Amino acid sequence: MEVTADGCSVEVYLLLPPAGEPEIVHAAVPPGASILELGCGTGRVTHPLLDLGHDVVAVDDSPAMLAHVRAETVCARIEELDLGRTFDAVLLGSHLINTARDPDRRAMLAAARRHLAPGGRLVVEWHPPEWFDSAASGQGGQLGEVAVELADVVRDGDLLSATVRYSARGRRWTQEFTCRRLILDDVLTSNDLIFDGWLSADRSWFAARARRGG
């Protein structure tokens, strides 16, 4: 099974179930809201949102991931996306905002903002600052039939690098990542966005709106 450019195993993502994300997004947007999902993977969140009555356009840069998505799809890098249309909500999940490279983050948020309809809401999943203090090798849990474990955690200033180990059905996969600790107000202000509320008790989800034209 194919591995994407950023090290994601398509096979693993087909096994992973949603973990409350669709309900968080659904509660944050109007009933039947149109949603642009950035970084949809195999549709783990897309498909429940469709079932909840939303019109979803799903974006990913992996054709192998998109082949499993039962919605309108767009194969593109988030940073370069310009569909010429807007949505009631834009979803940026999977902690993508914590990308290590500041230019990539600015480009992703610019793409999200230009696709927001007037009054639209940006729904974001992130690693809050306290996660960077508590993350440790050996932490893990179970997502459906997939066991997940964090390993090889290394800190370097605002950066944290680690490996995620997955196991299921007698098989094992790994995915390395590096993410950056963010100051939320600075990130939003520099991208012409304003904070619009926490969406989960652990503050791993928040909403934002465009500062102007919203």
Side-chain angles (χ1 to χ4, degrees):
M1 186 69 74
E2 189 169 341
V3 175
T4 64
D6 60 353
C8 299
S9 167
V10 177
E11 188 173 13
V12 168
Y13 277 77
L14 285 170
L15 294 175
L16 289 171
E21 302 95 337
E23 291 77 13
I24 290 172
V25 177
H26 180 63
V29 303
S34 60
I35 299 174
L36 177 65
E37 182 184 3
L38 303 177
C40 65
T42 58
R44 187 175 62 89
V45 176
T46 316
H47 299 145
L49 288 174
L50 292 171
D51 293 340
L52 288 165
H54 297 286
D55 179 15
V56 183
V57 174
V59 178
D60 205 282
D61 64 357
S62 167
M65 290 282 197
L66 290 176
H68 300 278
V69 179
R70 302 185 304 274
E72 180 183 345
T73 59
V74 177
C75 187
R77 295 183 70 246
I78 296 170
E79 298 90 332
E80 300 167 357
L81 188 69
D82 191 349
L83 300 179
R85 56 195 281 206
T86 59
F87 298 80
D88 300 322
V90 175
L91 168 58
L92 186 63
S94 302
H95 315 102
L96 292 173
I97 193 175
N98 289 102
T99 181
R101 284 176 39 83
D102 293 334
D104 292 344
R105 180 180 311 102
R106 288 194 295 270
M108 280 193 287
L109 289 173
R113 192 183 182 284
R114 67 175 163 261
H115 289 94
L116 277 176
R121 207 171 196 201
L122 174 61
V123 177
V124 183
E125 180 184 23
W126 76 323
H127 288 304
E130 53 269 24
W131 178 85
F132 287 80
D133 298 323
S134 62
S137 297
Q139 291 178 343
Q142 195 79 20
L143 288 175
E145 61 182 300
V146 182
V148 184
E149 182 184 6
L150 197 63
D152 307 323
V153 174
V154 176
R155 293 175 173 83
D156 180 10
D158 287 336
L159 296 176
L160 184 148
S161 299
T163 300
V164 184
R165 297 174 177 167
Y166 302 97
S167 58
R169 302 182 181 183
R171 299 198 57 192
R172 297 179 183 276
W173 306 265
T174 60
Q175 181 180 348
E176 298 178 354
F177 71 93
T178 299
C179 55
R180 184 177 297 278
R181 183 198 300 254
L182 302 176
I183 299 173
L184 186 56
D185 286 346
D186 292 348
V187 170
L188 295 180
T189 299
S190 62
N191 289 279
D192 208 17
L193 296 162
I194 56 174
F195 179 74
D196 196 37
W198 298 110
L199 304 178
S200 62
D202 63 0
R203 298 194 172 190
S204 62
W205 286 84
F206 66 89
R209 295 186 186 272
R211 182 177 296 277
R212 294 191 299 268

